[in-house]
Amino acid sequence: MRRPLSPLMPDRSPLPPDLSAALDAEAPETRADLEQVWTLLGTLESDAPSESDRAWERLAAQMKAVAPGAVSSPTRRASDRGAIAPTRTTRRRRALAYALPLVIIAVVGAWWMQPVHLTAGAGEVLSVSLPDGSTATLNSGATLAHRRGFARLPFLAAETRAVRLEGEAFFDVESDERPFIVETFNAQVTVLGTAFNVRAHPNEAETRVAVSEGRVRVTGPDDFATELTIGQGISVGAAATSPPASSPEPVEVEQATAWRTGGFAVRDLPLRAVFDELERRYGVEITAPTRLEADGDVTLYLSAPSSAEEILNDLCTARGLTYRATSRGFAVSRAAR
Amino acid sequence: MDAAEPYASWSRRIAASDEAAFEALFRHLHPPLVRFAAGLVGSEAEADDLVQDAFLRIWTRREQLDPQRSLRALLYRSVRNLAYNAIRDRTTHAEKHTDMMPPPALPMPDAATEAASLDERLRRWMAELPDRQCEALTLSRFDGLSHDEIAAAMEISARTVNNHLVAALKTLRTRILTYEPGYLDH
C-alpha cells in the first residue's frame, strides 16, 4: 500500500526543532547516527514531479461547473473523471496525459508484487507491525515475508493474512475474520486472533509451535492437522518422518518465549543446533567437530545469561567439552580426560 | 523552507474568492500532494483525482477557511482521508474468492540479493516501517511539514508524531548498522 517516497528535490534541511529536542534524550553517538540517517534520507533521488498545468486546467473547469457557495460532492472513484462530461479535445488530451502515468502504474504494480521482507540481525530482537495491526517479534536471524497489505494483487481484498517465516518469531495477532496464517518450510499455523510462538529452522528439520493465548490450528505434511490451546505445543517434522508430528503436549511457554526478554532456552535440540542458536543470538562463530553431535540432544534454560561464554561454559561443563576463544568466536572440542 | 510560502495570506484571499491565490496554492502543493497520495493509493492517476477533489472541496467551502490554521495541513489531511476512503471503498467492491486454496507460497527472501544502492535500500526500509511511522517520516522529511501540521494532517498529537519520527529513524539506523554501517560514518 505504500510506495517509497522521496523529496522532489534533494535537500539538506536540518532536523526540525521539535525532533532535535526529542533526540537530546539519546546518547551522543546514537544522536549523531540518527542525524546522519536524516541527512541520508535527503540524498534520495527525486521522483519526476507531476504535470500541474493540465491538472490546473481540469480543476479550473470543475470550479466553473460549481455554482458559487454550492457544495458539490465530487466522485471519488478512479473510474469517474470529474463533474463535467469530457469533450473530445479534453479526452484526447487526457489520453496523452495518462500515457506516462500508465507506465508509472505498471512499475508501481510490479513493485507491489514484491513481498515485504523483515529480518532480525545478529543479536537483535525485532518487533514489527503487520498491516492488520498484529505484531510479530523476530528472534535473531529470523526472516518474515508477507505481501503488502496481505493482498495478492494491488487493490484486491486479502482473504487471508499470510506470512512466511524462517527462524523464530512470536506473534500477537489481532482478531479479524480473515485467518492469520504463518507458513514455515513444512507447516502452517492458522489462527483467528491469539498469541503464540513459532520456531522453524529448516536445518532443525521441524517446526515448533507454543501457544501463549487462544487457540491455533497447525497443519503439516501428510495431511497432518491438529489444534492447540494455551500452554500446549507441538513439533512438526519434515515430510516423510513418522509420525509427522508429536501429539499436542504441555510446554513451558515461558521458556519457549524466554528469548523475547533476553533469556536463552533450548529444548531437545542437537548440539549443532544449539551452537547455531548461539551464533544467531550473539553474532559469533562457533566451530566444532561433527563427531560431537553423536552425544544427543540438549535441553538448557538460562533466564538472564550475560554472554555467549556463560552459556557455552554451562553447556560444555554438562557435556564434558571444552572451548577456547577464537578471533571470530569460539571453538569447541572434547575435554581432555 | 516552505514556511516562507504565504499560506495565511492565501487563506485570506481564497476565502474572499481570489482565484489567483487559489491557483498559486494549487501549483505549489499539487506535486507533493499527488506524490503523497500516490504513496498511499498506489496509482498516480487515482492520486491526481483525489488531490483534485481535495482542492475542489477547499474551494467550495472557502468561506470557512481560517488563516490562523495551517492551510497546508488542512490539504494534507483532506488528501489523506480521501485516500484512505478510496482504499476502503476499493476493497469492499473487490472480488472475493472463496478461499479453498492454501495461502500463496511466498518467495523466501533471498539472502544473496544485493540491493543495488543505498537509495533502493532506504526506500525499501522506509516502506517496511509501520504505516504511521512511514507517513510521519515522509511528511516531515520530504514534505517539510512541521510537527503541528503533521499532527493535524494525521489527526494525532504532536507528541505521537515525535514518537513516530524517533522510532522510524531508529529502525532505519538499525538497518543501516546491520547492512551498511559505513553509511553512518560522520
Side-chain angles (χ1 to χ4, degrees):
Chain A
M1 206 179 290
R2 280 200 314 269
R3 171 179 81 172
L5 302 163
S6 69
L8 287 181
M9 279 179 291
D11 118 3
R12 307 263 176 274
S13 302
L15 290 174
D18 291 333
L19 184 54
S20 188
L23 292 184
D24 284 340
E26 304 293 332
E29 180 62 32
T30 309
R31 192 216 159 86
D33 280 351
L34 296 178
E35 288 201 40
Q36 183 65 6
V37 173
W38 181 267
T39 305
L40 284 175
L41 288 172
T43 67
L44 289 183
E45 282 255 326
S46 19
D47 292 333
S50 46
E51 292 281 335
S52 294
D53 287 343
R54 277 185 273 259
W56 172 251
E57 282 169 30
R58 277 173 61 202
L59 182 58
Q62 289 188 16
M63 282 160 63
K64 286 191 177 56
V66 174
V71 176
S72 75
S73 44
T75 54
R76 280 190 259 118
R77 305 253 173 82
S79 49
D80 291 49
R81 297 230 177 270
I84 50 169
T87 63
R88 195 174 297 144
T89 324
T90 324
R91 254 191 245 123
R92 199 181 308 132
R93 272 228 224 106
R94 266 195 208 136
L96 287 175
Y98 289 111
L100 179 59
L102 278 175
V103 172
I104 295 172
I105 293 166
V107 169
V108 168
W111 163 85
W112 177 280
M113 296 304 285
Q114 300 193 6
V116 174
H117 296 313
L118 306 154
T119 307
E124 195 187 350
V125 169
L126 181 69
S127 255
V128 297
S129 273
L130 299 174
D132 65 333
S134 301
T135 47
T137 306
L138 275 57
N139 200 352
S140 320
T143 4
L144 193 69
H146 66 86
R147 297 193 189 277
R148 288 176 206 288
F150 291 124
R152 202 184 299 244
L153 291 172
F155 322 144
L156 274 194
E159 319 87 60
T160 63
R161 301 171 282 164
V163 304
R164 180 79 190 247
L165 172 70
E166 188 172 306
E168 180 162 31
F170 185 86
F171 296 90
D172 199 328
V173 176
E174 288 292 316
S175 287
D176 186 304
E177 65 267 8
R178 301 169 297 172
F180 187 96
I181 304 177
V182 180
E183 236 192 286
T184 70
F185 71 97
N186 71 333
Q188 304 81 34
V189 184
T190 305
V191 295
L192 291 178
T194 186
F196 58 99
N197 198 70
V198 181
R199 184 187 174 86
H201 293 283
N203 56 357
E204 286 170 15
E206 66 182 1
T207 290
R208 290 185 185 183
V209 183
V211 178
S212 159
E213 258 179 53
R215 199 165 181 85
V216 310
R217 182 176 163 78
V218 182
T219 49
D222 300 321
D223 295 323
F224 168 74
T226 192
E227 287 194 7
L228 301 176
T229 183
I230 300 180
Q232 287 192 319
I234 197 169
S235 297
V236 181
T241 55
S242 114
S246 63
S247 324
E249 55 190 359
V251 293
E252 281 291 346
V253 181
E254 213 173 274
Q255 285 187 22
T257 56
W259 58 270
R260 298 177 68 205
T261 49
F264 187 85
V266 295
R267 190 169 63 88
D268 298 330
L269 278 190
L271 201 54
R272 182 66 244 175
V274 182
F275 293 151
D276 290 344
E277 188 70 23
L278 282 171
E279 286 183 337
R280 278 188 291 266
R281 167 74 171 264
Y282 292 97
V284 296
E285 204 177 272
I286 301 185
T287 54
T290 43
R291 64 189 137 80
L292 293 185
E293 328 245 323
D295 285 357
D297 292 347
V298 176
T299 297
L300 186 62
Y301 173 52
L302 285 88
S303 60
S306 53
S307 63
E309 187 159 350
E310 183 189 336
I311 299 169
L312 201 52
N313 203 13
D314 276 8
L315 190 54
C316 290
T317 310
R319 287 293 172 117
L321 303 171
T322 185
Y323 68 93
R324 60 180 173 81
T326 67
S327 58
R328 288 198 295 226
F330 303 93
V332 179
S333 52
R334 180 109 28 221
R337 293 201 179 277
Chain B
M1 29 175 284
D2 207 53
E5 295 302 334
Y7 286 109
S9 160
W10 281 338
S11 201
R12 266 188 296 273
R13 289 166 60 191
I14 292 168
S17 300
D18 182 339
E19 283 197 30
F22 189 60
E23 181 174 354
L25 173 72
F26 182 84
R27 286 183 181 280
H28 186 71
L29 282 184
H30 177 254
L33 283 171
V34 168
R35 188 174 37 79
F36 174 63
L40 296 174
V41 299
S43 137
E44 186 159 322
E46 196 176 345
D48 209 334
D49 283 353
L50 291 179
V51 172
Q52 296 266 332
D53 277 358
F55 274 98
L56 197 58
R57 282 162 188 244
I58 299 281
W59 181 253
T60 55
R61 298 182 182 105
R62 56 193 180 276
E63 316 84 49
Q64 295 161 27
L65 286 177
D66 177 0
Q68 305 272 32
R69 307 181 71 183
S70 168
L71 187 49
R72 182 166 64 162
L74 181 59
L75 273 162
Y76 272 91
R77 183 167 80 219
S78 185
V79 167
R80 187 175 177 274
N81 286 338
L82 288 172
Y84 279 113
N85 286 347
I87 292 166
R88 208 179 44 228
D89 288 351
R90 173 204 291 163
T91 59
T92 59
H93 288 292
E95 237 187 288
K96 296 201 198 291
H97 311 274
T98 54
D99 185 26
M100 290 286 113
M101 290 176 7
L106 301 171
M108 279 312 298
D110 183 353
T113 302
E114 303 274 314
S117 62
L118 174 66
D119 200 290
E120 288 180 16
R121 284 188 158 174
L122 277 180
R123 286 168 188 268
R124 185 167 106 172
W125 292 332
M126 271 197 74
E128 289 173 359
L129 290 170
D131 287 341
R132 300 285 179 271
Q133 288 182 21
C134 180
E135 265 188 62
L137 184 59
T138 301
L139 290 174
S140 180
R141 187 64 180 96
F142 302 142
D143 293 85
L145 268 62
S146 72
H147 280 32
D148 286 334
E149 287 179 314
I150 298 173
M154 291 180 65
E155 295 175 295
I156 55 180
S157 71
R159 184 197 185 81
T160 307
V161 171
N162 227 16
N163 294 344
H164 286 327
L165 292 176
V166 174
L169 288 178
K170 283 183 170 175
T171 301
L172 292 177
R173 169 180 179 263
T174 304
R175 292 265 181 272
I176 296 174
L177 286 176
T178 306
Y179 295 103
E180 300 280 356
Y183 286 129
L184 286 183
D185 288 341
H186 44 75

